[in-house]
Amino acid sequence: MKVYIYILIDFWASWCSPCRAEHPELMKLYQKYEDKGFEVIGVSFDENLARWKKAIINDSLEWVQMSAPKGWNSEIAKTYVFGGIPNNFIIGPDGTILARNLHGKTLEAKLKEIFGY
C-alpha cells in the first residue's frame, strides 16, 4: 500500500498573537488527519529561542518544529516568498504547492477535499 503524505508548513512566531490563536484549531485538524497522511511542520521566526520553546510547550504543539531565527532574512522565507505571518503552505505528495495561506474553515475545507471527509 502506497502512503501519500501531505505537509502543511506553518509559519509562525511566539510573539504573533494571530498565529498562536490558530494553534487550537490546527491541533484538532492535525489529530483528525495525522493517521491519514497529514503532517505539519512549524517554522518559527522567533529570534528568542527560549520564548519559542516556551510557546511550543504552552500551546501543546505536537508536530515537528523548526526555527528560522533570521526571520524574514532566512532562506526559507526567501524560498516561500510571503508578506506576513501567520501563513502556511500545503505541499502535496509530489512536492507541489496545493494551497497557501488557508486558515480556519478554509483550511478545514481543503483538508476535507484532500482526505474525503
Side-chain angles (χ1 to χ4, degrees):
M1 180 172 96
K2 192 169 189 176
V3 177
Y4 295 97
I5 303 293
Y6 293 84
I7 299 172
L8 176 86
I9 303 174
D10 178 45
F11 293 93
W12 72 287
S14 67
W15 43 262
C16 172
S17 296
C19 301
R20 305 275 303 272
E22 289 188 1
H23 285 160
E25 186 61 30
L26 184 53
M27 180 61 71
K28 290 177 191 172
L29 294 171
Y30 176 70
Q31 291 172 342
K32 180 176 181 178
Y33 295 112
E34 69 176 317
D35 291 341
K36 305 300 179 200
F38 179 57
E39 285 295 333
V40 177
I41 298 174
V43 179
S44 170
F45 283 180
D46 278 278
E47 293 179 12
N48 182 322
L49 296 183
R51 192 169 165 187
W52 166 60
K53 290 176 184 178
K54 184 177 179 183
I56 292 168
I57 293 166
N58 288 347
D59 292 3
S60 301
L61 302 181
E62 298 176 2
W63 49 83
V64 172
Q65 293 292 328
M66 300 172 68
S67 175
K70 292 182 182 177
W72 304 112
N73 294 318
S74 67
E75 287 303 312
I76 197 162
K78 293 175 187 175
T79 299
Y80 283 91
V81 187
F82 55 91
I85 56 175
N87 210 317
N88 59 47
F89 294 80
I90 297 177
I91 310 297
D94 64 355
T96 60
I97 296 173
L98 301 178
R100 65 179 295 168
N101 207 22
L102 300 180
H103 308 281
K105 295 296 181 191
T106 57
L107 176 58
E108 183 177 8
K110 184 64 176 178
L111 293 176
K112 283 181 181 179
E113 175 189 318
I114 289 170
F115 294 105
Y117 69 98

